[in-house]
Amino acid sequence: MNDLETKIALITGGTKGIGYGIAEALMEEGISVAITGRSKSTADESAKELSSKFKNKARVIGIEADVRDYESQQNAVARAIKEFGKVDIVIANAGIGHFAPVDVMSLEDWKEIIDTNLSGPFYTLRAGMDQLKKNKGYFITISSLAGTNFFKGGSAYNASKFGITGFTQAAMLDLRDKGIKVSTIMPGSVSTHFNGNEPDAEDDWKIQKEDIGKLVVDLLKMNPRTLPSKIEVRPTRPPSK
């Protein structure tokens, strides 16, 4: 995408972790962003932090929104349009993880994962569809290597990530003739607060959130004729087992 400084991005789950790292990378390029989170206070606080870092380069707003609710996603897009005039880039990043053997996985945990990790990106895409079509935009999902590699105790998480990988690839085929680029990024271990982790020096071997942010920027800068539609990314040197 040319002229990145004129672009506007909406990032779900942008208050911390990968979403926050993507917001940092985009704002460094001059892209103004709207970040969403389930808590208004958290969204506002993260937006305030980002604004203080990049106030001379780009603008940012925080929006309270729940990806599990389509109307909430519509409202998030409408708020971004009201603030910035348009949306060019939609990044479906919000996600959660519950891990348990399938015979004890609770119905509530299953539903929350599927609603957040799989239905959420669909709602986000549908809510932003008119803007993406109008502006020949870019839709990016954050899947996982768990979307191609299953593991014990991961029935719900694997299902959601296998699903979002397939969903995004099919959406890519549906939308490329309409001028919309679509990609999914599938990270391995990332140093974030995901699933209660507290990042520290022991996580230095992992992918860092800024690495995913840089990858998103690289996608946006790719020549328009070329589309990396599915990107696997993993730590270079994981600890030996």
Side-chain angles (χ1 to χ4, degrees):
M1 302 179 77
N2 298 323
D3 302 320
L4 291 185
E5 292 183 359
T6 69
K7 305 303 181 185
I8 306 298
L10 173 69
I11 306 169
T12 67
T15 62
K16 59 182 180 180
I18 290 174
Y20 190 92
I22 293 172
E24 288 182 305
L26 296 190
M27 293 184 72
E28 179 66 36
E29 295 292 326
I31 300 172
S32 292
V33 302
I35 57 171
T36 75
R38 292 188 189 182
S39 163
K40 184 179 187 303
S41 61
T42 301
D44 288 343
E45 182 60 31
S46 295
K48 183 178 179 181
E49 291 175 1
L50 288 164
S51 181
S52 67
K53 292 180 182 180
F54 301 103
K55 60 184 177 182
N56 295 324
K57 289 191 173 184
R59 296 165 57 203
V60 57
I61 59 170
I63 303 172
E64 179 183 12
D66 188 340
V67 298
R68 298 172 298 178
D69 180 74
Y70 178 56
E71 184 176 355
S72 180
Q73 293 307 96
Q74 288 180 303
N75 291 338
V77 172
R79 172 75 191 286
I81 294 171
K82 181 178 180 181
E83 183 70 25
F84 298 118
K86 62 172 183 170
V87 173
D88 303 285
I89 304 158
V90 176
I91 299 174
N93 164 75
I96 60 167
H98 297 304
F99 304 96
V102 68
D103 56 328
V104 298
M105 169 67 68
S106 73
L107 300 181
E108 293 77 16
D109 283 353
W110 174 274
K111 187 176 189 309
E112 185 177 28
I113 287 178
I114 299 301
D115 287 352
T116 303
N117 296 1
L118 184 52
S119 295
F122 170 67
Y123 295 153
T124 301
L125 174 58
R126 283 297 297 270
M129 187 67 74
D130 288 346
Q131 284 292 299
L132 291 173
K133 286 181 177 179
K134 179 179 179 181
N135 301 317
K136 307 300 183 186
Y138 210 137
F139 176 64
I140 299 172
T141 63
I142 305 301
S143 182
S144 168
L145 290 182
T148 191
N149 302 312
F150 52 85
F151 57 89
K152 186 176 181 179
S155 59
Y157 192 72
N158 282 144
S160 71
K161 292 302 185 179
F162 269 71
I164 191 58
T165 300
F167 163 75
T168 310
Q169 293 291 277
M172 178 269 296
L173 297 176
D174 289 341
L175 298 176
R176 61 182 175 177
D177 289 342
K178 297 175 174 62
I180 301 172
K181 298 181 78 172
V182 178
S183 299
T184 189
I185 299 173
M186 305 171 67
S189 298
V190 183
S191 178
T192 69
H193 292 87
F194 182 76
N195 205 37
N197 180 61
E198 190 63 38
D200 57 27
E202 294 184 0
D203 287 334
D204 287 349
W205 63 272
K206 296 179 179 179
I207 299 164
Q208 302 299 306
K209 66 182 189 299
E210 58 266 27
D211 301 334
I212 304 300
K214 175 63 164 56
L215 182 53
V216 170
V217 170
D218 289 345
L219 285 174
L220 297 178
K221 290 184 175 181
M222 184 69 63
N223 191 295
R225 67 173 174 258
T226 303
L227 177 62
S229 58
K230 183 172 70 172
I231 303 98
E232 293 189 5
V233 56
R234 48 180 48 80
T236 303
R237 294 290 299 273
S240 300
K241 294 184 179 178

